[in-house]
Amino acid sequence: MSPRTKEQVEEIRQRSRQQILKASLELFAHQGFHNTTISQIAKKAGVSKGLIYNYFSSKEDLVGGIIEEAMETGEEIMTTIKDQELDPWVAVDQSIDHIFILVQQNPVYWKMLTSLSFQEDILMKFEPLLRKQEFKNLEHLTDLVRRLGAKKPLMEAMYLSALLDGILLHYLHFKDKYPLEEMKEFLKAKTREIGK
Amino acid sequence: MSPRTKEQVEEIRQRSRQQILKASLELFAHQGFHNTTISQIAKKAGVSKGLIYNYFSSKEDLVGGIIEEAMETGEEIMTTIKDQELDPWVAVDQSIDHIFILVQQNPVYWKMLTSLSFQEDILMKFEPLLRKQEFKNLEHLTDLVRRLGAKKPLMEAMYLSALLDGILLHYLHFKDKYPLEEMKEFLKAKTREIGK
Amino acid sequence: MSPRTKEQVEEIRQRSRQQILKASLELFAHQGFHNTTISQIAKKAGVSKGLIYNYFSSKEDLVGGIIEEAMETGEEIMTTIKDQELDPWVAVDQSIDHIFILVQQNPVYWKMLTSLSFQEDILMKFEPLLRKQEFKNLEHLTDLVRRLGAKKPLMEAMYLSALLDGILLHYLHFKDKYPLEEMKEFLKAKTREIGK
Amino acid sequence: MSPRTKEQVEEIRQRSRQQILKASLELFAHQGFHNTTISQIAKKAGVSKGLIYNYFSSKEDLVGGIIEEAMETGEEIMTTIKDQELDPWVAVDQSIDHIFILVQQNPVYWKMLTSLSFQEDILMKFEPLLRKQEFKNLEHLTDLVRRLGAKKPLMEAMYLSALLDGILLHYLHFKDKYPLEEMKEFLKAKTREIGK
DNA sequence: CATGAATGAGCATTCATTCAT
DNA sequence: CATGAATGAATGCTCATTCAT
C-alpha cells in the first residue's frame, strides 16, 4: 500500500544498473560498441529496452558507466601498493603482480577498453579520463626503473609498458590458452637485467 | 566514343578498385568497420555507391580485398630476407628492421587489422587467413632466438612477439609522437642479452 | 498515523487534482498536446507519474478535465450578465468586456483551446462540448446586434465573432506586447457604426 | 547502360520532392506536426520512408521546405499588386482580394501555419522567416489605411489584421460551410467607413 | 493516497544493397 | 563502366501506461 522506502528503491536501482552494465561490458568487449544493439544488451541483462534509458542517457553513456566503475575498483587495488615503502626489486615484482591481477580479474573490461581505443569517435569522449590514467602508469613505471638503476629510465619504462600491453593483447586474444603465469615469471626474471 | 581496348578497361578497373580499397582501409582504420558507411567510402574514393558493388560483393568483402592486397606486398618483402643465409645476430636485426618497415610503410593497415581483431564477427571470417600468418611469424621468431642460444626459445619468442605487438600498439596510437626509431635501437640492444 | 477524515482526504485529492490540471494546461498550451509528456506534467505538478492516473484515466482525459473546469468558471461569469435586462448599447459593451475579461483571466486556457482546435484527433472527442458553446456565443452576438438595428444580424455577428477571435489570436501570440485594452476601446467605438 | 543525364536525375528528384512536400503539408495541417509520423507521410506520398531522408534532413526540415515553397508562390502574387499605382480604395479591395485568393488557393498551407504557430518548439526555428512576412503585411496594411485617411492608421491596420486572421481562422475550421465570399464583400463594405 | 521501476509498442532516422538507366 | 534514386529492415530512443509496494 505504502510506497517503497528510499532504501528499497535505491537497492532495486543498483541491482538493475549492475545487470545492465555487466551485459553491456561483455557485449561491447566481444562484438564492439557499434556492433552491439541496445536490444541485445536488454535481453542479456534480462530487462526491457526502456529500462536501460532509466539509468543511462544513451548507448555511449553506458561506456562511461563501465569505465567509471572499473576505475573505482582499480583505484582501490592501486592504493594498497602505492603507500608502502619498499625495496625496489620487491616493488617491481608487486607492480607486475598488480597489473596482472587487474587484468586477470576483469579481462573483459580490458578487452573492451583496448577495442574502444580503436574507435576514434568513442575514444574522443573518454580520452581525458583514460589519458590521465595512462600517464600516471607510465610515471609510476619510470619511477620504478629509475630506482632499479636504469640508465634511460623513460625508455626503459616505455619498453616495459609496451611489453605489458603486448602481453595483455595476446592474453586477451588467446585467453586460457595463453601461459600468462609463466609469462609473468619470465618477465620478472628479465627485469633483473635492468640497471646492470 | 571509340570502344576502349581491353587494356584500357582493365586499367580503369584497377584504378577504381585501388581507390575504393584505399578509402575503405583508411576509414575502417580510423572509424572501425561497423561505424563506416558505404556512402563514406564512395565519397572518399570519389566514386558512386553503386560502383563499389561492381568490384566487391559486400561491405565485408572489402575487408577481404584489403587483407589480400596487404599480404601480397608483405610476402614480397618477407621472401627477400628469408632466402639469405645469415649470421643469427644480423638476421635478428634484419627481422626487426623488416617488421618495423612493414608497419611504418602502412601503419593504417595495421591499425585496421588490430582494430578488426576485436570485432569477433568480422574476425571469424578472416581468422584462418590471419592465424596462419601469425603462426609463421612466431615460428620464425622461435627459430631466430634458438640460433641465438636462448634457453627457452618458445617463451623468448612469445616474449619478443608481445613486445613487438606492444610497440606497434603504442606507435599506432601516438603516431609521430612515438619515438619508434629510438625504440627499435633500444630493442636491438636488448636482444644482445638473449642467450647469455 | 491516525486515519484521515473524509474531509481531509477529499481536500488532499482536490489539491493534487488542481495541481495536475494546472500543470497540464500550461504545458499543453505552450508545447502542444502531443509534444507534452506525462513525465513533464508530473514534474511540473510536483507529483508522481502514477498519481496522475489516480485522477485521470489517460492523457486525453486531462484535456477533458481542463475543459470542464474552465467551462464551469466561464458559466458563472456568463450568467451574471445574461440575467440583467439592459440597454442594447450597454449590453454590447458589457459583452465585449466579458469576453476580454475571460481571456485576460486565463489566456493560457484559450491558447490551449485554440491550439487543440487544430489537432483533429483530439478535437473530435471534445467537439460536441465546444461546438455547443460556440453556437451559444454566436446566438448571443446575433441577438445583440439585432437589437442594435443591424440589417444583416447574422453576418454582422459572424463578422464580430471573427474580429474577436482574431484579436484573441494576436493577443495570445504577442502577450503583453499587444495593446489589448486599446484594442477593446477601438472595437467598442467601431460597434457604434452598427445599425447606422 | 549509360547513367541518367543530370537533367533526368533532376526531374526525378523534383517529382519525388514535390510528392513528399504535398503529403507532409496535408498531414501536418490536419493532424499537427507531432502527431504525424514519417511512415504516414511516406505512405501518402507513395514513397519509402528512407527516400524522404534523401531530400530532407529531418522531419523538421520538411516544415522548412513547405514554408519556403509557399513563400515563393506567395511572393509572385504579391509583386503583381505592389507595383501598380492605384486609387487607394481600389488598392484596398485588391489587397483584400489578394489575401483571400492566397488563402483559398492553398488553405491547407495556412491551416498548417496557424497550427504550427501554437507549437512553440517548431515555431522557434522558423520564427525569423515568418515574423518578417508578418511585419511586411502589417506595414502594407498601415500604409493602405493611412491613404484612406484613417485617423489612427496603426490601430486601424491592427484591427483589420485581426479581422482578416479571424475570418481565416473560421474559414479554416468550417471550410466550405463558411460564407467566405459573402464575408469578403461585407468586409469591403465595412472598409468604406474608414476615414469618415 | 502515493511512488517510480518496469514495460513494449512506436517513432525518427540510418544504411547496406538493388537496379533502371 | 558508372550513377544515384529507391527500398525497407534494423537501430537508438521515447513515452503512455501498469503495478508492486
Side-chain angles (χ1 to χ4, degrees):
Chain A
M1 277 297 160
S2 48
R4 278 176 277 231
T5 66
K6 277 264 163 58
E7 291 76 29
Q8 284 173 314
V9 165
E10 191 52 31
E11 201 203 307
I12 290 174
R13 284 187 71 85
Q14 282 310 319
R15 186 161 43 238
S16 291
R17 199 172 186 277
Q18 289 307 320
Q19 283 169 347
I20 293 167
L21 280 180
K22 192 159 176 286
S24 305
L25 172 57
E26 266 158 39
L27 289 168
F28 288 162
H30 290 294
Q31 312 186 345
F33 178 80
H34 289 292
N35 198 32
T36 298
T37 72
I38 293 287
S39 286
Q40 288 174 326
I41 296 172
K43 190 176 233 172
K44 182 153 200 158
V47 301
S48 69
K49 267 185 301 184
L51 191 64
I52 295 179
Y53 290 90
N54 262 353
Y55 298 100
F56 302 93
S57 63
S58 70
K59 198 178 155 186
E60 275 183 11
D61 196 32
L62 281 167
V63 175
I66 294 170
I67 295 180
E68 269 169 36
E69 210 201 352
M71 280 202 165
E72 281 169 29
T73 336
E75 207 83 356
E76 288 171 29
I77 307 181
M78 197 61 138
T79 43
T80 57
I81 298 178
K82 272 289 187 55
D83 297 329
Q84 300 160 341
E85 199 60 45
L86 291 163
D87 167 67
W89 299 103
V90 178
V92 166
D93 278 12
Q94 278 211 358
S95 286
I96 291 173
D97 282 338
H98 161 236
I99 291 168
F100 276 73
I101 286 171
L102 223 54
V103 170
Q104 280 176 299
Q105 272 186 344
N106 202 359
V108 187
Y109 172 70
W110 295 100
K111 185 161 192 173
M112 189 206 75
L113 221 56
T114 317
S115 166
L116 233 54
S117 72
F118 287 92
Q119 293 283 347
E120 297 185 359
D121 59 325
I122 307 293
L123 184 61
M124 215 175 302
K125 312 213 164 135
F126 301 102
E127 204 165 21
L129 210 63
L130 298 171
R131 284 283 187 247
K132 214 180 64 188
Q133 191 70 29
E134 231 166 49
F135 182 71
K136 247 167 57 183
N137 289 342
L138 188 61
E139 214 176 19
H140 177 61
L141 274 182
T142 312
D143 185 51
L144 270 180
V145 293
R146 179 180 293 115
R147 285 159 64 197
L148 293 183
K151 282 149 204 159
K152 295 180 171 183
L154 183 56
M155 278 305 287
E156 196 79 56
M158 285 177 75
Y159 180 86
L160 210 53
S161 172
L163 187 48
L164 286 165
D165 279 352
I167 292 173
L168 167 61
L169 198 66
H170 289 179
Y171 171 58
L172 294 180
H173 278 156
F174 298 103
K175 243 359 217 317
D176 296 331
K177 280 175 279 181
Y178 194 79
L180 193 60
E181 279 303 321
E182 214 179 333
M183 210 60 179
K184 190 170 77 179
E185 296 313 319
F186 197 81
L187 167 60
K188 283 183 183 172
K190 285 276 182 182
T191 59
R192 299 292 172 263
E193 306 284 341
I194 297 175
K196 282 191 183 167
Chain B
M1 280 303 155
S2 58
R4 281 175 281 231
T5 67
K6 276 263 167 59
E7 292 75 28
Q8 283 176 316
V9 165
E10 188 54 28
E11 201 204 307
I12 290 173
R13 280 190 70 86
Q14 282 309 318
R15 189 164 39 241
S16 290
R17 200 173 185 277
Q18 289 307 318
Q19 282 167 343
I20 293 167
L21 281 180
K22 190 161 176 283
S24 306
L25 171 57
E26 264 159 41
L27 289 167
F28 289 163
H30 290 293
Q31 311 184 346
F33 177 81
H34 289 291
N35 197 33
T36 297
T37 73
I38 294 285
S39 287
Q40 287 175 325
I41 295 171
K43 191 175 214 173
K44 183 154 199 158
V47 301
S48 71
K49 268 187 298 190
L51 192 62
I52 295 179
Y53 287 88
N54 258 343
Y55 298 104
F56 303 93
S57 64
S58 70
K59 196 178 160 188
E60 276 184 7
D61 196 32
L62 282 166
V63 176
I66 294 170
I67 294 180
E68 270 169 33
E69 208 202 355
M71 281 201 164
E72 282 169 27
T73 337
E75 207 82 359
E76 287 171 29
I77 307 180
M78 197 62 138
T79 44
T80 59
I81 299 180
K82 270 291 187 55
D83 298 326
Q84 301 161 340
E85 197 61 42
L86 290 163
D87 166 67
W89 298 105
V90 179
V92 166
D93 277 12
Q94 276 209 1
S95 286
I96 290 174
D97 281 338
H98 162 237
I99 291 169
F100 276 74
I101 286 171
L102 224 54
V103 170
Q104 279 176 300
Q105 271 186 344
N106 203 358
V108 187
Y109 172 70
W110 294 101
K111 185 160 192 173
M112 189 207 75
L113 219 58
T114 318
S115 166
L116 232 54
S117 73
F118 287 92
Q119 293 282 347
E120 296 186 358
D121 59 325
I122 306 291
L123 185 60
M124 216 174 300
K125 312 212 163 138
F126 301 101
E127 203 166 20
L129 209 63
L130 298 171
R131 283 286 188 243
K132 211 179 64 187
Q133 189 71 28
E134 231 166 50
F135 183 70
K136 247 167 56 184
N137 288 342
L138 189 60
E139 216 175 15
H140 176 61
L141 275 182
T142 312
D143 184 51
L144 270 180
V145 294
R146 179 179 294 115
R147 286 159 64 197
L148 293 183
K151 282 151 204 159
K152 296 180 171 179
L154 183 58
M155 277 306 286
E156 196 79 56
M158 286 179 74
Y159 178 87
L160 210 53
S161 172
L163 188 47
L164 285 165
D165 279 352
I167 292 173
L168 169 61
L169 198 66
H170 288 181
Y171 171 58
L172 294 179
H173 277 157
F174 297 105
K175 253 347 224 320
D176 296 330
K177 279 176 279 183
Y178 195 77
L180 193 60
E181 279 304 320
E182 214 179 335
M183 210 59 179
K184 190 170 77 178
E185 296 313 318
F186 198 81
L187 168 58
K188 284 182 183 173
K190 284 276 181 181
T191 60
R192 300 290 172 265
E193 306 284 342
I194 297 176
K196 283 190 183 168
Chain C
M1 280 303 156
S2 57
R4 280 176 281 230
T5 66
K6 276 263 170 58
E7 291 75 28
Q8 282 175 319
V9 165
E10 188 54 26
E11 199 202 309
I12 290 173
R13 280 189 71 85
Q14 282 310 318
R15 187 162 44 237
S16 290
R17 201 171 184 277
Q18 288 308 318
Q19 283 168 342
I20 293 168
L21 282 180
K22 190 160 177 282
S24 305
L25 172 57
E26 265 159 40
L27 289 168
F28 288 163
H30 290 293
Q31 312 185 344
F33 177 79
H34 289 291
N35 198 32
T36 297
T37 71
I38 293 286
S39 287
Q40 287 175 325
I41 295 171
K43 192 176 214 172
K44 183 153 198 159
V47 301
S48 70
K49 270 188 297 193
L51 191 62
I52 294 178
Y53 287 88
N54 258 343
Y55 298 103
F56 303 94
S57 64
S58 70
K59 197 178 160 188
E60 276 183 9
D61 196 32
L62 282 166
V63 176
I66 293 170
I67 294 180
E68 270 169 34
E69 208 202 354
M71 281 202 164
E72 282 168 29
T73 336
E75 206 84 357
E76 288 171 29
I77 307 182
M78 196 62 137
T79 43
T80 56
I81 298 179
K82 272 290 188 55
D83 297 329
Q84 301 161 341
E85 198 62 42
L86 290 162
D87 166 67
W89 299 104
V90 178
V92 166
D93 278 12
Q94 276 210 359
S95 286
I96 290 173
D97 283 339
H98 162 236
I99 291 169
F100 276 72
I101 285 171
L102 223 53
V103 170
Q104 278 176 301
Q105 270 186 344
N106 203 358
V108 188
Y109 171 70
W110 294 100
K111 184 160 193 173
M112 189 208 75
L113 219 58
T114 317
S115 166
L116 232 55
S117 73
F118 286 92
Q119 293 283 347
E120 297 185 359
D121 59 324
I122 306 292
L123 185 63
M124 215 175 302
K125 311 213 163 134
F126 301 102
E127 204 166 18
L129 209 62
L130 298 170
R131 284 285 188 245
K132 210 179 65 189
Q133 189 70 28
E134 234 165 47
F135 183 71
K136 246 167 55 184
N137 288 341
L138 188 61
E139 214 174 17
H140 176 61
L141 274 182
T142 313
D143 185 51
L144 270 180
V145 293
R146 179 179 293 115
R147 285 160 63 197
L148 293 182
K151 282 149 202 159
K152 297 179 170 182
L154 183 57
M155 278 306 286
E156 195 80 56
M158 286 177 74
Y159 180 86
L160 210 53
S161 172
L163 187 48
L164 285 165
D165 279 353
I167 291 172
L168 168 61
L169 198 66
H170 289 182
Y171 172 58
L172 293 180
H173 278 157
F174 298 103
K175 251 349 224 318
D176 296 331
K177 278 175 281 182
Y178 195 78
L180 193 61
E181 279 303 321
E182 213 178 335
M183 209 62 180
K184 191 171 76 177
E185 296 313 318
F186 197 81
L187 166 61
K188 283 184 183 173
K190 284 276 179 182
T191 59
R192 298 292 171 265
E193 306 285 340
I194 297 175
K196 281 190 182 169
Chain D
M1 275 299 160
S2 46
R4 278 176 278 230
T5 66
K6 278 264 162 60
E7 291 76 29
Q8 284 175 314
V9 165
E10 190 52 30
E11 200 204 308
I12 290 173
R13 284 187 70 85
Q14 282 310 317
R15 188 162 42 240
S16 291
R17 199 170 185 278
Q18 289 307 320
Q19 283 169 347
I20 294 167
L21 281 180
K22 191 160 176 283
S24 305
L25 172 57
E26 265 159 39
L27 289 167
F28 288 163
H30 290 294
Q31 311 185 347
F33 178 80
H34 289 291
N35 197 34
T36 298
T37 72
I38 293 288
S39 285
Q40 288 175 326
I41 295 172
K43 190 176 232 172
K44 183 153 201 159
V47 301
S48 70
K49 266 184 302 183
L51 192 64
I52 295 178
Y53 289 90
N54 262 353
Y55 299 99
F56 302 94
S57 64
S58 69
K59 197 178 158 187
E60 274 183 11
D61 196 32
L62 282 167
V63 176
I66 294 170
I67 294 181
E68 270 170 34
E69 210 202 353
M71 280 201 164
E72 282 169 29
T73 336
E75 207 82 358
E76 288 171 31
I77 307 180
M78 197 61 140
T79 44
T80 59
I81 298 179
K82 271 290 186 56
D83 297 328
Q84 301 161 339
E85 198 61 43
L86 290 163
D87 168 66
W89 299 104
V90 178
V92 166
D93 278 12
Q94 277 210 359
S95 286
I96 290 174
D97 282 338
H98 162 236
I99 291 169
F100 276 73
I101 286 171
L102 224 55
V103 170
Q104 278 176 300
Q105 272 187 344
N106 202 359
V108 187
Y109 171 69
W110 294 101
K111 185 160 192 175
M112 190 207 75
L113 221 57
T114 316
S115 166
L116 232 54
S117 72
F118 287 92
Q119 292 284 346
E120 296 186 359
D121 59 325
I122 307 291
L123 185 61
M124 216 175 302
K125 312 213 163 136
F126 301 102
E127 204 165 20
L129 210 62
L130 299 171
R131 283 284 188 245
K132 212 179 64 187
Q133 190 70 28
E134 229 166 51
F135 183 71
K136 245 167 58 183
N137 288 342
L138 189 59
E139 216 174 15
H140 176 62
L141 275 182
T142 311
D143 185 51
L144 269 180
V145 293
R146 179 179 294 116
R147 284 160 65 197
L148 293 183
K151 282 150 203 157
K152 295 180 170 182
L154 183 58
M155 277 307 285
E156 195 79 54
M158 287 178 73
Y159 179 86
L160 210 52
S161 172
L163 187 47
L164 285 165
D165 280 352
I167 292 173
L168 168 61
L169 198 66
H170 288 180
Y171 172 57
L172 294 178
H173 276 157
F174 297 105
K175 247 355 219 320
D176 296 330
K177 279 175 279 181
Y178 194 78
L180 193 60
E181 279 303 321
E182 212 178 336
M183 209 61 180
K184 189 169 77 178
E185 296 313 319
F186 197 81
L187 167 59
K188 283 183 184 174
K190 284 277 180 181
T191 59
R192 298 292 171 263
E193 308 284 342
I194 296 175
K196 283 191 183 169

